[in-house]
mmCIF file of all heavy atoms in Angstrom:
data_model
loop_
_atom_site.group_PDB
_atom_site.id
_atom_site.type_symbol
_atom_site.label_atom_id
_atom_site.label_comp_id
_atom_site.label_asym_id
_atom_site.label_seq_id
_atom_site.Cartn_x
_atom_site.Cartn_y
_atom_site.Cartn_z
ATOM 1 N N MET A 244 138.572 -33.022 40.179
ATOM 2 C CA MET A 244 139.517 -32.573 39.118
ATOM 3 C C MET A 244 139.064 -33.078 37.808
ATOM 4 O O MET A 244 138.562 -34.207 37.697
ATOM 5 C CB MET A 244 140.923 -33.086 39.460
ATOM 6 C CG MET A 244 141.488 -32.645 40.758
ATOM 7 S SD MET A 244 141.937 -30.873 40.763
ATOM 8 C CE MET A 244 143.427 -30.954 39.791
ATOM 9 N N PRO A 245 139.230 -32.285 36.724
ATOM 10 C CA PRO A 245 138.964 -32.844 35.386
ATOM 11 C C PRO A 245 139.860 -34.035 35.139
ATOM 12 O O PRO A 245 141.017 -34.040 35.556
ATOM 13 C CB PRO A 245 139.289 -31.655 34.448
ATOM 14 C CG PRO A 245 139.890 -30.595 35.280
ATOM 15 C CD PRO A 245 139.745 -30.904 36.707
ATOM 16 N N SER A 246 139.333 -35.015 34.469
ATOM 17 C CA SER A 246 140.093 -36.275 34.294
ATOM 18 C C SER A 246 140.063 -36.731 32.845
ATOM 19 O O SER A 246 139.040 -36.617 32.168
ATOM 20 C CB SER A 246 139.529 -37.368 35.176
ATOM 21 O OG SER A 246 140.086 -38.620 34.896
ATOM 22 N N ALA A 247 141.228 -37.193 32.370
ATOM 23 C CA ALA A 247 141.306 -37.712 31.010
ATOM 24 C C ALA A 247 140.706 -39.135 30.967
ATOM 25 O O ALA A 247 140.544 -39.692 29.891
ATOM 26 C CB ALA A 247 142.792 -37.711 30.581
ATOM 27 N N GLY A 248 140.421 -39.681 32.122
ATOM 28 C CA GLY A 248 139.902 -41.056 32.201
ATOM 29 C C GLY A 248 140.358 -41.687 33.493
ATOM 30 O O GLY A 248 141.226 -41.204 34.202
ATOM 31 N N LYS A 249 139.706 -42.790 33.856
ATOM 32 C CA LYS A 249 140.036 -43.454 35.109
ATOM 33 C C LYS A 249 140.737 -44.777 34.835
ATOM 34 O O LYS A 249 140.247 -45.592 34.067
ATOM 35 C CB LYS A 249 138.750 -43.674 35.939
ATOM 36 C CG LYS A 249 139.020 -44.118 37.357
ATOM 37 C CD LYS A 249 137.728 -44.273 38.141
ATOM 38 C CE LYS A 249 137.140 -42.947 38.519
ATOM 39 N NZ LYS A 249 135.984 -43.112 39.458
ATOM 40 N N VAL A 250 141.877 -45.025 35.520
ATOM 41 C CA VAL A 250 142.717 -46.197 35.267
ATOM 42 C C VAL A 250 142.999 -46.908 36.568
ATOM 43 O O VAL A 250 143.432 -46.283 37.546
ATOM 44 C CB VAL A 250 144.055 -45.795 34.594
ATOM 45 C CG1 VAL A 250 144.802 -47.061 34.230
ATOM 46 C CG2 VAL A 250 143.826 -44.954 33.358
ATOM 47 N N VAL A 251 142.711 -48.212 36.634
ATOM 48 C CA VAL A 251 143.086 -49.052 37.757
ATOM 49 C C VAL A 251 144.372 -49.803 37.453
ATOM 50 O O VAL A 251 144.481 -50.417 36.373
ATOM 51 C CB VAL A 251 141.970 -50.044 38.071
ATOM 52 C CG1 VAL A 251 142.451 -51.056 39.154
ATOM 53 C CG2 VAL A 251 140.701 -49.318 38.524
ATOM 54 N N ILE A 252 145.375 -49.641 38.313
ATOM 55 C CA ILE A 252 146.679 -50.340 38.036
ATOM 56 C C ILE A 252 147.087 -51.170 39.276
ATOM 57 O O ILE A 252 146.645 -50.913 40.368
ATOM 58 C CB ILE A 252 147.801 -49.371 37.673
ATOM 59 C CG1 ILE A 252 148.111 -48.401 38.857
ATOM 60 C CG2 ILE A 252 147.456 -48.571 36.430
ATOM 61 C CD1 ILE A 252 149.346 -47.543 38.613
ATOM 62 N N GLY A 253 147.909 -52.162 38.985
ATOM 63 C CA GLY A 253 148.476 -52.991 40.091
ATOM 64 C C GLY A 253 149.412 -54.009 39.584
ATOM 65 O O GLY A 253 149.436 -54.365 38.389
ATOM 66 N N THR A 254 150.281 -54.500 40.463
ATOM 67 C CA THR A 254 151.129 -55.613 40.152
ATOM 68 C C THR A 254 150.420 -56.919 40.577
ATOM 69 O O THR A 254 149.805 -57.005 41.657
ATOM 70 C CB THR A 254 152.473 -55.562 41.001
ATOM 71 O OG1 THR A 254 153.113 -54.273 40.689
ATOM 72 C CG2 THR A 254 153.413 -56.652 40.585
ATOM 73 N N VAL A 255 150.431 -57.930 39.715
ATOM 74 C CA VAL A 255 149.599 -59.077 39.882
ATOM 75 C C VAL A 255 149.990 -59.897 41.087
ATOM 76 O O VAL A 255 151.104 -59.846 41.589
ATOM 77 C CB VAL A 255 149.559 -59.942 38.627
ATOM 78 C CG1 VAL A 255 148.968 -59.177 37.413
ATOM 79 C CG2 VAL A 255 150.919 -60.508 38.292
ATOM 80 N N GLN A 256 149.031 -60.760 41.469
ATOM 81 C CA GLN A 256 149.258 -61.636 42.651
ATOM 82 C C GLN A 256 150.482 -62.500 42.509
ATOM 83 O O GLN A 256 150.727 -63.057 41.464
ATOM 84 C CB GLN A 256 147.997 -62.540 42.802
ATOM 85 C CG GLN A 256 147.962 -63.333 44.093
ATOM 86 C CD GLN A 256 146.629 -64.013 44.314
ATOM 87 O OE1 GLN A 256 146.004 -64.477 43.323
ATOM 88 N NE2 GLN A 256 146.208 -64.091 45.527
ATOM 89 N N GLY A 257 151.226 -62.585 43.552
ATOM 90 C CA GLY A 257 152.492 -63.334 43.584
ATOM 91 C C GLY A 257 153.710 -62.530 43.339
ATOM 92 O O GLY A 257 154.850 -63.022 43.482
ATOM 93 N N ASP A 258 153.594 -61.296 42.944
ATOM 94 C CA ASP A 258 154.698 -60.419 42.619
ATOM 95 C C ASP A 258 154.676 -59.164 43.505
ATOM 96 O O ASP A 258 153.655 -58.457 43.578
ATOM 97 C CB ASP A 258 154.657 -59.998 41.130
ATOM 98 C CG ASP A 258 155.973 -59.381 40.655
ATOM 99 O OD1 ASP A 258 156.742 -58.884 41.495
ATOM 100 O OD2 ASP A 258 156.164 -59.397 39.429
ATOM 101 N N LEU A 259 155.741 -58.917 44.195
ATOM 102 C CA LEU A 259 155.842 -57.761 45.088
ATOM 103 C C LEU A 259 156.607 -56.561 44.532
ATOM 104 O O LEU A 259 156.761 -55.548 45.178
ATOM 105 C CB LEU A 259 156.527 -58.176 46.402
ATOM 106 C CG LEU A 259 155.873 -59.303 47.189
ATOM 107 C CD1 LEU A 259 156.688 -59.615 48.473
ATOM 108 C CD2 LEU A 259 154.442 -58.937 47.592
ATOM 109 N N HIS A 260 157.012 -56.689 43.239
ATOM 110 C CA HIS A 260 157.762 -55.580 42.600
ATOM 111 C C HIS A 260 156.764 -54.473 42.194
ATOM 112 O O HIS A 260 155.703 -54.755 41.644
ATOM 113 C CB HIS A 260 158.470 -56.097 41.364
ATOM 114 C CG HIS A 260 159.522 -57.117 41.628
ATOM 115 N ND1 HIS A 260 159.244 -58.489 41.655
ATOM 116 C CD2 HIS A 260 160.843 -56.980 41.972
ATOM 117 C CE1 HIS A 260 160.391 -59.104 41.941
ATOM 118 N NE2 HIS A 260 161.331 -58.265 42.186
ATOM 119 N N ASP A 261 157.166 -53.235 42.447
ATOM 120 C CA ASP A 261 156.201 -52.170 42.074
ATOM 121 C C ASP A 261 156.863 -50.861 41.592
ATOM 122 O O ASP A 261 156.181 -49.880 41.380
ATOM 123 C CB ASP A 261 155.231 -51.885 43.207
ATOM 124 C CG ASP A 261 155.964 -51.408 44.474
ATOM 125 O OD1 ASP A 261 157.156 -51.193 44.432
ATOM 126 O OD2 ASP A 261 155.258 -51.217 45.486
ATOM 127 N N ILE A 262 158.179 -50.817 41.384
ATOM 128 C CA ILE A 262 158.816 -49.573 40.944
ATOM 129 C C ILE A 262 158.317 -49.196 39.605
ATOM 130 O O ILE A 262 157.945 -48.034 39.391
ATOM 131 C CB ILE A 262 160.371 -49.754 40.933
ATOM 132 C CG1 ILE A 262 160.890 -49.916 42.376
ATOM 133 C CG2 ILE A 262 161.017 -48.542 40.320
ATOM 134 C CD1 ILE A 262 162.350 -50.186 42.467
ATOM 135 N N GLY A 263 158.292 -50.122 38.659
ATOM 136 C CA GLY A 263 157.820 -49.809 37.286
ATOM 137 C C GLY A 263 156.365 -49.378 37.312
ATOM 138 O O GLY A 263 155.964 -48.400 36.669
ATOM 139 N N LYS A 264 155.570 -50.111 38.090
ATOM 140 C CA LYS A 264 154.147 -49.816 38.193
ATOM 141 C C LYS A 264 153.918 -48.432 38.793
ATOM 142 O O LYS A 264 153.042 -47.651 38.342
ATOM 143 C CB LYS A 264 153.438 -50.911 38.970
ATOM 144 C CG LYS A 264 151.919 -50.777 39.168
ATOM 145 C CD LYS A 264 151.590 -50.063 40.436
ATOM 146 C CE LYS A 264 152.103 -50.781 41.704
ATOM 147 N NZ LYS A 264 151.903 -49.964 42.943
ATOM 148 N N ASN A 265 154.688 -48.104 39.812
ATOM 149 C CA ASN A 265 154.553 -46.813 40.454
ATOM 150 C C ASN A 265 154.909 -45.677 39.449
ATOM 151 O O ASN A 265 154.239 -44.613 39.469
ATOM 152 C CB ASN A 265 155.518 -46.700 41.647
ATOM 153 C CG ASN A 265 155.056 -47.592 42.815
ATOM 154 O OD1 ASN A 265 153.964 -48.098 42.832
ATOM 155 N ND2 ASN A 265 155.991 -47.798 43.741
ATOM 156 N N LEU A 266 155.909 -45.861 38.637
ATOM 157 C CA LEU A 266 156.295 -44.868 37.668
ATOM 158 C C LEU A 266 155.185 -44.652 36.595
ATOM 159 O O LEU A 266 154.874 -43.560 36.211
ATOM 160 C CB LEU A 266 157.625 -45.244 36.987
ATOM 161 C CG LEU A 266 158.209 -44.227 36.041
ATOM 162 C CD1 LEU A 266 158.349 -42.900 36.679
ATOM 163 C CD2 LEU A 266 159.552 -44.707 35.520
ATOM 164 N N VAL A 267 154.568 -45.751 36.181
ATOM 165 C CA VAL A 267 153.457 -45.658 35.252
ATOM 166 C C VAL A 267 152.341 -44.851 35.895
ATOM 167 O O VAL A 267 151.757 -43.982 35.243
ATOM 168 C CB VAL A 267 152.913 -47.100 34.901
ATOM 169 C CG1 VAL A 267 151.551 -46.975 34.211
ATOM 170 C CG2 VAL A 267 153.922 -47.814 34.024
ATOM 171 N N GLY A 268 152.048 -45.063 37.186
ATOM 172 C CA GLY A 268 151.075 -44.317 37.858
ATOM 173 C C GLY A 268 151.365 -42.821 37.901
ATOM 174 O O GLY A 268 150.490 -41.980 37.641
ATOM 175 N N ILE A 269 152.579 -42.481 38.174
ATOM 176 C CA ILE A 269 153.064 -41.068 38.206
ATOM 177 C C ILE A 269 152.846 -40.427 36.837
ATOM 178 O O ILE A 269 152.320 -39.330 36.691
ATOM 179 C CB ILE A 269 154.535 -40.967 38.613
ATOM 180 C CG1 ILE A 269 154.681 -41.273 40.104
ATOM 181 C CG2 ILE A 269 155.122 -39.584 38.271
ATOM 182 C CD1 ILE A 269 156.130 -41.412 40.541
ATOM 183 N N MET A 270 153.266 -41.136 35.769
ATOM 184 C CA MET A 270 153.182 -40.585 34.414
ATOM 185 C C MET A 270 151.738 -40.414 33.965
ATOM 186 O O MET A 270 151.350 -39.454 33.332
ATOM 187 C CB MET A 270 153.919 -41.474 33.435
ATOM 188 C CG MET A 270 155.405 -41.626 33.713
ATOM 189 S SD MET A 270 156.325 -40.081 33.482
ATOM 190 C CE MET A 270 156.557 -40.128 31.716
ATOM 191 N N LEU A 271 150.876 -41.373 34.369
ATOM 192 C CA LEU A 271 149.439 -41.307 34.014
ATOM 193 C C LEU A 271 148.822 -40.105 34.699
ATOM 194 O O LEU A 271 148.002 -39.349 34.132
ATOM 195 C CB LEU A 271 148.729 -42.580 34.358
ATOM 196 C CG LEU A 271 148.979 -43.767 33.431
ATOM 197 C CD1 LEU A 271 148.352 -45.022 34.008
ATOM 198 C CD2 LEU A 271 148.401 -43.487 32.034
ATOM 199 N N LYS A 272 149.111 -39.920 36.015
ATOM 200 C CA LYS A 272 148.594 -38.795 36.752
ATOM 201 C C LYS A 272 149.043 -37.500 36.128
ATOM 202 O O LYS A 272 148.309 -36.547 36.027
ATOM 203 C CB LYS A 272 149.002 -38.835 38.231
ATOM 204 C CG LYS A 272 148.320 -39.943 39.028
ATOM 205 C CD LYS A 272 148.825 -39.968 40.489
ATOM 206 C CE LYS A 272 148.165 -41.063 41.267
ATOM 207 N NZ LYS A 272 148.701 -41.156 42.661
ATOM 208 N N GLY A 273 150.322 -37.473 35.710
ATOM 209 C CA GLY A 273 150.842 -36.300 35.107
ATOM 210 C C GLY A 273 150.193 -35.917 33.781
ATOM 211 O O GLY A 273 150.173 -34.802 33.363
ATOM 212 N N ALA A 274 149.647 -36.987 33.118
ATOM 213 C CA ALA A 274 148.934 -36.783 31.853
ATOM 214 C C ALA A 274 147.447 -36.436 32.063
ATOM 215 O O ALA A 274 146.696 -36.329 31.107
ATOM 216 C CB ALA A 274 149.102 -37.991 30.986
ATOM 217 N N GLY A 275 147.045 -36.356 33.314
ATOM 218 C CA GLY A 275 145.658 -35.972 33.608
ATOM 219 C C GLY A 275 144.727 -37.093 33.902
ATOM 220 O O GLY A 275 143.487 -36.908 34.033
ATOM 221 N N PHE A 276 145.193 -38.322 34.037
ATOM 222 C CA PHE A 276 144.350 -39.435 34.329
ATOM 223 C C PHE A 276 144.140 -39.594 35.853
ATOM 224 O O PHE A 276 145.031 -39.269 36.642
ATOM 225 C CB PHE A 276 144.942 -40.744 33.794
ATOM 226 C CG PHE A 276 144.887 -40.829 32.296
ATOM 227 C CD1 PHE A 276 145.975 -40.398 31.526
ATOM 228 C CD2 PHE A 276 143.776 -41.327 31.645
ATOM 229 C CE1 PHE A 276 145.961 -40.524 30.148
ATOM 230 C CE2 PHE A 276 143.726 -41.403 30.244
ATOM 231 C CZ PHE A 276 144.801 -40.971 29.522
ATOM 232 N N GLU A 277 142.968 -40.082 36.200
ATOM 233 C CA GLU A 277 142.690 -40.463 37.617
ATOM 234 C C GLU A 277 143.149 -41.929 37.742
ATOM 235 O O GLU A 277 142.708 -42.796 37.049
ATOM 236 C CB GLU A 277 141.228 -40.380 37.895
ATOM 237 C CG GLU A 277 140.877 -40.638 39.337
ATOM 238 C CD GLU A 277 139.400 -40.481 39.650
ATOM 239 O OE1 GLU A 277 138.676 -39.978 38.772
ATOM 240 O OE2 GLU A 277 138.998 -40.875 40.747
ATOM 241 N N VAL A 278 144.087 -42.120 38.686
ATOM 242 C CA VAL A 278 144.707 -43.442 38.864
ATOM 243 C C VAL A 278 144.327 -44.044 40.200
ATOM 244 O O VAL A 278 144.503 -43.430 41.236
ATOM 245 C CB VAL A 278 146.235 -43.335 38.777
ATOM 246 C CG1 VAL A 278 146.892 -44.715 38.970
ATOM 247 C CG2 VAL A 278 146.651 -42.750 37.400
ATOM 248 N N ILE A 279 143.788 -45.249 40.180
ATOM 249 C CA ILE A 279 143.561 -46.049 41.378
ATOM 250 C C ILE A 279 144.617 -47.128 41.457
ATOM 251 O O ILE A 279 144.581 -48.093 40.646
ATOM 252 C CB ILE A 279 142.155 -46.656 41.383
ATOM 253 C CG1 ILE A 279 141.043 -45.586 41.378
ATOM 254 C CG2 ILE A 279 141.949 -47.562 42.604
ATOM 255 C CD1 ILE A 279 140.543 -45.258 40.046
ATOM 256 N N ASP A 280 145.581 -46.976 42.341
ATOM 257 C CA ASP A 280 146.738 -47.887 42.442
ATOM 258 C C ASP A 280 146.444 -48.911 43.512
ATOM 259 O O ASP A 280 146.363 -48.587 44.706
ATOM 260 C CB ASP A 280 147.994 -47.122 42.729
ATOM 261 C CG ASP A 280 149.246 -47.950 42.662
ATOM 262 O OD1 ASP A 280 149.139 -49.197 42.671
ATOM 263 O OD2 ASP A 280 150.334 -47.340 42.616
ATOM 264 N N LEU A 281 146.314 -50.178 43.125
ATOM 265 C CA LEU A 281 146.005 -51.259 44.051
ATOM 266 C C LEU A 281 147.280 -51.834 44.700
ATOM 267 O O LEU A 281 147.158 -52.704 45.566
ATOM 268 C CB LEU A 281 145.254 -52.406 43.351
ATOM 269 C CG LEU A 281 143.923 -51.956 42.712
ATOM 270 C CD1 LEU A 281 143.263 -53.175 42.030
ATOM 271 C CD2 LEU A 281 142.992 -51.399 43.755
ATOM 272 N N GLY A 282 148.477 -51.355 44.345
ATOM 273 C CA GLY A 282 149.688 -51.815 44.923
ATOM 274 C C GLY A 282 150.195 -53.081 44.253
ATOM 275 O O GLY A 282 150.008 -53.272 43.055
ATOM 276 N N ASN A 283 150.804 -53.981 45.074
ATOM 277 C CA ASN A 283 151.346 -55.193 44.501
ATOM 278 C C ASN A 283 150.615 -56.416 45.084
ATOM 279 O O ASN A 283 149.765 -56.282 45.956
ATOM 280 C CB ASN A 283 152.867 -55.307 44.736
ATOM 281 C CG ASN A 283 153.224 -55.153 46.239
ATOM 282 O OD1 ASN A 283 152.481 -55.621 47.103
ATOM 283 N ND2 ASN A 283 154.350 -54.515 46.522
ATOM 284 N N ASN A 284 150.939 -57.578 44.514
ATOM 285 C CA ASN A 284 150.330 -58.842 44.993
ATOM 286 C C ASN A 284 148.828 -58.799 44.921
ATOM 287 O O ASN A 284 148.123 -59.187 45.864
ATOM 288 C CB ASN A 284 150.832 -59.156 46.399
ATOM 289 C CG ASN A 284 150.550 -60.571 46.807
ATOM 290 O OD1 ASN A 284 150.499 -61.494 45.991
ATOM 291 N ND2 ASN A 284 150.355 -60.842 48.114
ATOM 292 N N VAL A 285 148.253 -58.263 43.825
ATOM 293 C CA VAL A 285 146.849 -58.008 43.679
ATOM 294 C C VAL A 285 146.172 -59.240 43.045
ATOM 295 O O VAL A 285 146.498 -59.607 41.900
ATOM 296 C CB VAL A 285 146.537 -56.747 42.859
ATOM 297 C CG1 VAL A 285 145.053 -56.478 42.781
ATOM 298 C CG2 VAL A 285 147.276 -55.586 43.421
ATOM 299 N N PRO A 286 145.203 -59.869 43.742
ATOM 300 C CA PRO A 286 144.453 -61.037 43.146
ATOM 301 C C PRO A 286 143.513 -60.574 42.000
ATOM 302 O O PRO A 286 143.073 -59.418 42.026
ATOM 303 C CB PRO A 286 143.673 -61.582 44.319
ATOM 304 C CG PRO A 286 143.590 -60.451 45.291
ATOM 305 C CD PRO A 286 144.784 -59.579 45.107
ATOM 306 N N PRO A 287 143.249 -61.466 41.078
ATOM 307 C CA PRO A 287 142.376 -61.137 39.954
ATOM 308 C C PRO A 287 141.031 -60.518 40.350
ATOM 309 O O PRO A 287 140.578 -59.553 39.756
ATOM 310 C CB PRO A 287 142.163 -62.493 39.238
ATOM 311 C CG PRO A 287 143.425 -63.258 39.589
ATOM 312 C CD PRO A 287 143.736 -62.864 40.977
ATOM 313 N N GLU A 288 140.443 -61.081 41.443
ATOM 314 C CA GLU A 288 139.135 -60.594 41.873
ATOM 315 C C GLU A 288 139.179 -59.125 42.295
ATOM 316 O O GLU A 288 138.203 -58.380 42.053
ATOM 317 C CB GLU A 288 138.624 -61.464 42.992
ATOM 318 C CG GLU A 288 138.351 -62.941 42.644
ATOM 319 C CD GLU A 288 139.596 -63.757 42.606
ATOM 320 O OE1 GLU A 288 140.681 -63.294 43.014
ATOM 321 O OE2 GLU A 288 139.542 -64.905 42.087
ATOM 322 N N LYS A 289 140.287 -58.705 42.867
ATOM 323 C CA LYS A 289 140.387 -57.323 43.339
ATOM 324 C C LYS A 289 140.457 -56.370 42.150
ATOM 325 O O LYS A 289 139.855 -55.266 42.186
ATOM 326 C CB LYS A 289 141.576 -57.148 44.246
ATOM 327 C CG LYS A 289 141.625 -55.776 44.885
ATOM 328 C CD LYS A 289 142.678 -55.709 46.021
ATOM 329 C CE LYS A 289 142.653 -54.358 46.717
ATOM 330 N NZ LYS A 289 143.682 -54.267 47.778
ATOM 331 N N PHE A 290 141.199 -56.732 41.123
ATOM 332 C CA PHE A 290 141.229 -55.914 39.915
ATOM 333 C C PHE A 290 139.849 -55.713 39.370
ATOM 334 O O PHE A 290 139.418 -54.576 39.109
ATOM 335 C CB PHE A 290 142.051 -56.634 38.796
ATOM 336 C CG PHE A 290 143.563 -56.404 38.896
ATOM 337 C CD1 PHE A 290 144.409 -57.472 39.275
ATOM 338 C CD2 PHE A 290 144.118 -55.132 38.647
ATOM 339 C CE1 PHE A 290 145.768 -57.284 39.340
ATOM 340 C CE2 PHE A 290 145.495 -54.961 38.725
ATOM 341 C CZ PHE A 290 146.322 -55.999 39.058
ATOM 342 N N VAL A 291 139.079 -56.816 39.198
ATOM 343 C CA VAL A 291 137.781 -56.707 38.587
ATOM 344 C C VAL A 291 136.774 -55.988 39.458
ATOM 345 O O VAL A 291 135.998 -55.176 39.055
ATOM 346 C CB VAL A 291 137.254 -58.118 38.217
ATOM 347 C CG1 VAL A 291 135.860 -58.055 37.660
ATOM 348 C CG2 VAL A 291 138.218 -58.794 37.243
#
């Protein structure tokens, strides 16, 4: 699919909340971005 850009998102390590992060992912996808959602409790090394 054509993409406006690629974005990696996630809730940082130690936090299991993800409603806000999920909504950001939905809105970014709706704007044409390719979103890689790592979920919650994501360690720094996994982001990088």
Side-chain angles (χ1 to χ4, degrees):
M244 298 289 286
S246 172
K249 191 177 287 189
V250 185
V251 172
I252 64 171
T254 304
V255 298
Q256 188 171 36
D258 193 339
L259 301 179
H260 297 92
D261 61 6
I262 293 176
K264 182 266 299 171
N265 291 346
L266 185 54
V267 167
I269 288 170
M270 299 293 279
L271 285 171
K272 287 178 182 177
F276 289 93
E277 183 178 351
V278 178
I279 296 95
D280 188 345
L281 300 179
N283 55 36
N284 196 28
V285 182
E288 295 78 12
K289 188 170 183 179
F290 276 111
V291 178

